[in-house]
Amino acid sequence: MATRARVRAPELIGKGGWLNTGDQQYTLADLRGRIVVLDFWTFCCVNCLHVLDELRELEEKHRDTLVIIGVHSPKFVHEAEHQAVVDAVERYEVHHPVLDDPELATWKQYAVRAWPTLVVIDPEGYVVAQHAGEGHAHAIAKLVEELEAEHAAKGTLRRGDGPYVAPEPVATHLRFPGKALLLPDGGFLVSDTTRHRLVELDRDGETVRRHFGTGDRGFADGGPDGARFSEPQGLAVLPDGRIAVADTVNHAIRALDLATGETTTLAGTGRQWWQGSPTSGPAREVDLSSPWDVAWFAGRLWIAMAGVHQLWTYDPATRTVDVAAGTTNEGLVDGPAAEAWFAQPSGLAASADGERLWVADSETSSLRHVERDGDGFAVRTAVGTGLFDFGHRDGAAGQALFQHPLGVAALPDGSVAVCDTYNHALRRYDPASGEVTTLATDLREPSDAVLVDGDLVVVESARHRLTRLRLPEEAVRVADRAHRTQRAATEIAPGTLRLDVVFQAPAGQKLDTRYGPSTRLLVSATPPELLVEGAGPGTDLFRDLVLAEDVTEGVLHVSAMAASCDDDPANEYPACHVHQQDWGVPVRVDAAGTARLPLVLAGMDEQG
């Protein structure tokens, strides 16, 4: 991989301290002689969760030479809470040290601009590569092998056990449950997400009847003691009585037959969907991407495809899947379903009258819905404004705020309950009045709710339990809190801004141009008036953006993709890989600002 002059890696600092090290605090000097990969992540970010899974094999294969360190860099206020980071590390089975950096100190030291970002540091303490987004595990694996050989020859490679110390396991019936479903006899089926299984509970929401799944991460059909899941989430009843399961990290939709205890696969291949893959066809032959919730609506099973910011559907009659709404661009855009933008849709619920499908769109902290529009569907936003504004504010929907909601429940009066996850609250939106109220607080990361005899049973994910709440006659009074994502704005010069997405194909690979351009760039802005020229799609990874004279600040949204393949003429079927990332870059126009904005997709910025 091409590199520039060696850059000494900045020190690792974080006010929250270290996790998964047995309380040991580390510096880069302590890691000298090891290859270090810094994974800048935040637990709200589904792309970050994808990268955690991409790195598992690499971490295991090079355990004696490689140290992966997660640098937790929060987007939302809740993610800056230390206990929330502790919970997330267990919830997502992070088996390497994590530095809790609530003030983004290390993020700023490394000039990181996006979640996730991976930085590779050689055994002598120098930065040798940087990658933003997903799909880089193969490139990093090759680089690690090169660094192992190079530094073994130099005598600068140190082998041995790494600094990871596993925390003590905790005994509970559920561990970070995700979603729940009311069963016909009054019991509950719960996705026991971190333990990779489904749990059937009695009416009390506590007594365990049965488990479905071995409890070990995997992908296998079979009976209660043979089936395997990987972080299952959403649950919905199919017309034939089986339970559809969003098997999130397996990128699949499964079906559980409660009568027989058998689990089968309805949709997905076990592989993650990438740009250019099929978006419709036989359900078992089409890749999916982190399905988070499911709901029956308009004669189909709707799927909240959090990993690609879309809604898909599954048709049991034809056993096919198709895209129903969303473009894969991340953001908040309403309109015809095919043109709408979502940002990690994570909760679904059909209204009692069947006219609306409510959507908890987590990364935009919004409540949205799908409704019929002529022969098709349209997407509308009830509450929320976009990727960067969030908080806890009741009142008129136009100014109300949520913080990363993950669940919704339709109520009989036409209103909807919202699991306002990062506010630890249960909220209510009433379409008739256009008002948002708070029903309950002091819930720990509520992620779903189901209606039971006029009460709501809430999945308190971070308290590992179901909690029954009586709906109050009056709203709870909560002090207004409004927040914006806290990242320092990049100062840019007025006039024309050169945007450069830096991409260097991994060693032994080249851009795949067999079927046309192998790169894609999409640019937009908030507010849209920030850009006079330069918005829209294109195939070059560079572009001149002309800035408006009367707009002084905003956010540039940049989405880039590049495909590379093995560079071996003798190989008729070379292995190919897709690298992709979305950036939201806060900018401020200033006469002393930069005229060039580099964003590293893979490699090093030679002009930096």
Side-chain angles (χ1 to χ4, degrees), residues 1-7 127-130 500-505 596 598-608:
M1 178 175 291
T3 59
R4 58 177 179 174
R6 298 205 301 174
V7 175
V127 174
V128 293
Q130 181 171 327
D500 281 326
V501 174
V502 177
F503 177 76
Q504 297 163 359
R596 176 177 177 265
L599 300 175
V600 177
L601 179 60
M604 300 285 282
D605 179 23
E606 301 289 352
Q607 300 181 46

Short mmCIF file of all heavy atoms in Angstrom, two decimals, residues 1-7 127-130 500-505 596 598-608:
data_model
loop_
_atom_site.label_atom_id
_atom_site.label_comp_id
_atom_site.label_asym_id
_atom_site.label_seq_id
_atom_site.Cartn_x
_atom_site.Cartn_y
_atom_site.Cartn_z
N MET A 1 0.85 -1.19 0.00
CA MET A 1 0.00 0.00 0.00
C MET A 1 0.88 1.23 0.00
O MET A 1 1.85 1.33 0.77
CB MET A 1 -0.90 0.00 1.24
CG MET A 1 -1.78 1.23 1.34
SD MET A 1 -2.92 1.13 2.74
CE MET A 1 -4.01 -0.16 2.17
N ALA A 2 0.57 2.17 -0.85
CA ALA A 2 1.34 3.40 -0.92
C ALA A 2 1.20 4.19 0.36
O ALA A 2 0.14 4.28 0.95
CB ALA A 2 0.86 4.25 -2.10
N THR A 3 2.32 4.75 0.84
CA THR A 3 2.30 5.55 2.06
C THR A 3 3.11 6.81 1.85
O THR A 3 3.92 6.92 0.94
CB THR A 3 2.90 4.77 3.25
OG1 THR A 3 4.26 4.40 2.93
CG2 THR A 3 2.10 3.50 3.52
N ARG A 4 2.90 7.78 2.73
CA ARG A 4 3.69 9.00 2.69
C ARG A 4 4.75 8.90 3.77
O ARG A 4 4.94 7.84 4.37
CB ARG A 4 2.79 10.21 2.93
CG ARG A 4 2.04 10.14 4.25
CD ARG A 4 1.22 11.40 4.46
NE ARG A 4 0.51 11.31 5.72
CZ ARG A 4 -0.20 12.29 6.22
NH1 ARG A 4 -0.30 13.42 5.59
NH2 ARG A 4 -0.83 12.16 7.37
N ALA A 5 5.45 10.03 4.03
CA ALA A 5 6.44 10.05 5.10
C ALA A 5 5.80 9.57 6.40
O ALA A 5 4.66 9.90 6.71
CB ALA A 5 7.00 11.47 5.26
N ARG A 6 6.53 8.80 7.16
CA ARG A 6 5.95 8.19 8.35
C ARG A 6 5.51 9.23 9.37
O ARG A 6 6.21 10.22 9.62
CB ARG A 6 6.95 7.23 8.97
CG ARG A 6 7.33 6.07 8.05
CD ARG A 6 7.80 4.88 8.82
NE ARG A 6 8.97 5.17 9.65
CZ ARG A 6 9.50 4.29 10.51
NH1 ARG A 6 8.93 3.10 10.66
NH2 ARG A 6 10.56 4.59 11.21
N VAL A 7 4.35 8.98 9.94
CA VAL A 7 3.78 9.91 10.92
C VAL A 7 3.70 9.19 12.26
O VAL A 7 3.13 8.10 12.36
CB VAL A 7 2.37 10.36 10.48
CG1 VAL A 7 1.73 11.23 11.55
CG2 VAL A 7 2.43 11.09 9.15
N VAL A 127 1.85 5.64 12.14
CA VAL A 127 0.62 5.40 11.38
C VAL A 127 0.99 5.01 9.96
O VAL A 127 1.77 5.70 9.29
CB VAL A 127 -0.26 6.67 11.35
CG1 VAL A 127 -1.47 6.47 10.44
CG2 VAL A 127 -0.71 7.04 12.75
N VAL A 128 0.45 3.89 9.49
CA VAL A 128 0.78 3.42 8.14
C VAL A 128 -0.43 3.34 7.21
O VAL A 128 -0.26 3.19 6.00
CB VAL A 128 1.49 2.05 8.19
CG1 VAL A 128 2.86 2.17 8.84
CG2 VAL A 128 0.64 1.01 8.92
N ALA A 129 -1.63 3.45 7.75
CA ALA A 129 -2.82 3.40 6.88
C ALA A 129 -4.03 3.89 7.65
O ALA A 129 -4.08 3.82 8.89
CB ALA A 129 -3.07 1.98 6.36
N GLN A 130 -4.99 4.39 6.89
CA GLN A 130 -6.27 4.81 7.46
C GLN A 130 -7.39 4.40 6.51
O GLN A 130 -7.24 4.50 5.29
CB GLN A 130 -6.29 6.32 7.68
CG GLN A 130 -7.58 6.84 8.30
CD GLN A 130 -7.50 8.31 8.69
OE1 GLN A 130 -6.44 8.79 9.08
NE2 GLN A 130 -8.61 9.02 8.60
N ASP A 500 -11.73 15.99 -2.21
CA ASP A 500 -10.93 14.84 -2.64
C ASP A 500 -11.23 13.66 -1.73
O ASP A 500 -10.93 13.71 -0.52
CB ASP A 500 -9.43 15.14 -2.57
CG ASP A 500 -8.95 15.96 -3.75
OD1 ASP A 500 -9.48 15.78 -4.85
OD2 ASP A 500 -8.04 16.79 -3.55
N VAL A 501 -11.82 12.60 -2.27
CA VAL A 501 -11.94 11.35 -1.54
C VAL A 501 -10.72 10.51 -1.87
O VAL A 501 -10.51 10.14 -3.03
CB VAL A 501 -13.24 10.60 -1.90
CG1 VAL A 501 -13.28 9.23 -1.24
CG2 VAL A 501 -14.45 11.43 -1.47
N VAL A 502 -9.91 10.25 -0.86
CA VAL A 502 -8.64 9.55 -1.06
C VAL A 502 -8.90 8.04 -1.04
O VAL A 502 -9.43 7.50 -0.06
CB VAL A 502 -7.63 9.93 0.04
CG1 VAL A 502 -6.34 9.15 -0.13
CG2 VAL A 502 -7.38 11.44 0.02
N PHE A 503 -8.55 7.38 -2.14
CA PHE A 503 -8.68 5.93 -2.18
C PHE A 503 -7.46 5.33 -2.88
O PHE A 503 -7.16 5.68 -4.02
CB PHE A 503 -9.94 5.48 -2.92
CG PHE A 503 -10.04 3.97 -3.02
CD1 PHE A 503 -10.42 3.22 -1.93
CD2 PHE A 503 -9.73 3.32 -4.20
CE1 PHE A 503 -10.49 1.84 -2.00
CE2 PHE A 503 -9.79 1.93 -4.29
CZ PHE A 503 -10.18 1.19 -3.19
N GLN A 504 -6.77 4.44 -2.18
CA GLN A 504 -5.67 3.68 -2.75
C GLN A 504 -6.04 2.21 -2.65
O GLN A 504 -6.29 1.71 -1.55
CB GLN A 504 -4.37 3.97 -1.99
CG GLN A 504 -3.92 5.43 -2.09
CD GLN A 504 -2.90 5.81 -1.04
OE1 GLN A 504 -2.53 4.99 -0.21
NE2 GLN A 504 -2.46 7.05 -1.06
N ALA A 505 -6.09 1.53 -3.78
CA ALA A 505 -6.44 0.12 -3.77
C ALA A 505 -5.42 -0.65 -2.94
O ALA A 505 -4.22 -0.34 -2.96
CB ALA A 505 -6.48 -0.43 -5.20
N ARG A 596 -9.41 23.00 0.35
CA ARG A 596 -9.42 21.59 -0.03
C ARG A 596 -9.92 20.76 1.14
O ARG A 596 -9.47 20.95 2.28
CB ARG A 596 -8.03 21.12 -0.43
CG ARG A 596 -7.94 19.62 -0.76
CD ARG A 596 -6.53 19.23 -1.22
NE ARG A 596 -6.43 17.80 -1.46
CZ ARG A 596 -5.99 16.91 -0.56
NH1 ARG A 596 -5.58 17.32 0.64
NH2 ARG A 596 -5.93 15.61 -0.87
N PRO A 598 -10.03 16.92 2.16
CA PRO A 598 -9.72 15.51 1.87
C PRO A 598 -10.47 14.58 2.82
O PRO A 598 -10.52 14.82 4.03
CB PRO A 598 -8.21 15.44 2.13
CG PRO A 598 -7.97 16.47 3.20
CD PRO A 598 -9.03 17.55 3.04
N LEU A 599 -11.06 13.54 2.29
CA LEU A 599 -11.72 12.51 3.08
C LEU A 599 -11.10 11.18 2.70
O LEU A 599 -11.14 10.79 1.53
CB LEU A 599 -13.23 12.50 2.81
CG LEU A 599 -13.99 13.79 3.12
CD1 LEU A 599 -15.45 13.67 2.69
CD2 LEU A 599 -13.88 14.15 4.59
N VAL A 600 -10.50 10.50 3.66
CA VAL A 600 -9.78 9.27 3.37
C VAL A 600 -10.73 8.08 3.41
O VAL A 600 -11.28 7.75 4.46
CB VAL A 600 -8.62 9.06 4.36
CG1 VAL A 600 -7.92 7.73 4.08
CG2 VAL A 600 -7.63 10.21 4.29
N LEU A 601 -10.94 7.45 2.26
CA LEU A 601 -11.68 6.20 2.19
C LEU A 601 -10.75 5.03 2.47
O LEU A 601 -11.10 4.11 3.20
CB LEU A 601 -12.35 6.06 0.82
CG LEU A 601 -13.17 4.79 0.57
CD1 LEU A 601 -14.32 4.66 1.56
CD2 LEU A 601 -13.71 4.76 -0.86
N ALA A 602 -9.55 5.07 1.88
CA ALA A 602 -8.55 4.03 2.15
C ALA A 602 -7.19 4.55 1.73
O ALA A 602 -7.05 5.12 0.65
CB ALA A 602 -8.87 2.74 1.40
N GLY A 603 -6.19 4.34 2.58
CA GLY A 603 -4.81 4.75 2.26
C GLY A 603 -4.36 5.91 3.13
O GLY A 603 -4.73 6.03 4.29
N MET A 604 -3.56 6.78 2.56
CA MET A 604 -3.07 7.96 3.26
C MET A 604 -3.20 9.15 2.31
O MET A 604 -3.04 9.01 1.10
CB MET A 604 -1.60 7.79 3.66
CG MET A 604 -1.33 6.61 4.58
SD MET A 604 -1.86 6.88 6.28
CE MET A 604 -0.51 7.90 6.89
N ASP A 605 -3.48 10.32 2.88
CA ASP A 605 -3.60 11.53 2.07
C ASP A 605 -2.22 12.08 1.77
O ASP A 605 -1.58 12.65 2.65
CB ASP A 605 -4.45 12.56 2.81
CG ASP A 605 -4.60 13.86 2.02
OD1 ASP A 605 -4.44 13.81 0.78
OD2 ASP A 605 -4.85 14.90 2.64
N GLU A 606 -1.76 11.92 0.54
CA GLU A 606 -0.41 12.35 0.17
C GLU A 606 -0.24 13.86 0.24
O GLU A 606 0.86 14.37 0.40
CB GLU A 606 -0.08 11.87 -1.25
CG GLU A 606 -0.14 10.36 -1.43
CD GLU A 606 0.98 9.64 -0.72
OE1 GLU A 606 1.90 10.31 -0.23
OE2 GLU A 606 0.95 8.40 -0.65
N GLN A 607 -1.36 14.61 0.12
CA GLN A 607 -1.26 16.06 0.14
C GLN A 607 -1.50 16.65 1.53
O GLN A 607 -1.52 17.85 1.70
CB GLN A 607 -2.27 16.67 -0.83
CG GLN A 607 -2.09 16.23 -2.26
CD GLN A 607 -3.10 16.87 -3.18
OE1 GLN A 607 -3.35 18.08 -3.11
NE2 GLN A 607 -3.71 16.07 -4.05
N GLY A 608 -1.78 15.77 2.51
CA GLY A 608 -2.13 16.25 3.83
C GLY A 608 -0.98 16.90 4.55
O GLY A 608 0.15 16.87 4.16
#
